[in-house]
Amino acid sequence: LASGSGGRRLLLAPLRRPPVDEPPPAMAAPPNLMAGMENMSQRDQHAVLAQLNEMQMAESMNTYNGLVERCFNECVTSFRTKSLETGEQQCVQRCVEKFMSFSQRVARRFQEKQQQINQKMGG
């Protein structure tokens, strides 16, 4: 937690952005994506994976920033001290836990739907 111009802000651990020249993880793409890239050169595959990596990082940053903003606006109500009050800390913890639980649930449902689509296309 830090004081800033105009009020307090929650400071959570920053996400590390890989250097531009750092290659993406070794072909960490889903198999169905790789199937569409088999006729591409290694260089083109690398470029596509790097672009996907960049898009994923941007989406992660947007999600993270949205979570911080939402929980701060919902939970931080007193600006009398530099530190969070007990009730504010508990609210932030519940807010983050709720968000994470919701995100995991959405990801599971998405994965289930994707599997259903793949089965329909494959069978």
Side-chain angles (χ1 to χ4, degrees), residues 15-25 46 50-51 53-54 57:
L15 295 176
R16 184 183 86 77
R17 181 177 210 130
V20 176
D21 60 344
E22 183 177 298
H46 182 339
Q51 181 68 30
N53 226 14
E54 184 68 26
M57 178 59 73

Side-chain angles (χ1 to χ4, degrees), residues 3 7 12-13 23 32 38 80 87 102:
S3 296
L12 301 176
N32 56 348
E38 68 232 357
R80 292 179 289 188
F102 174 76

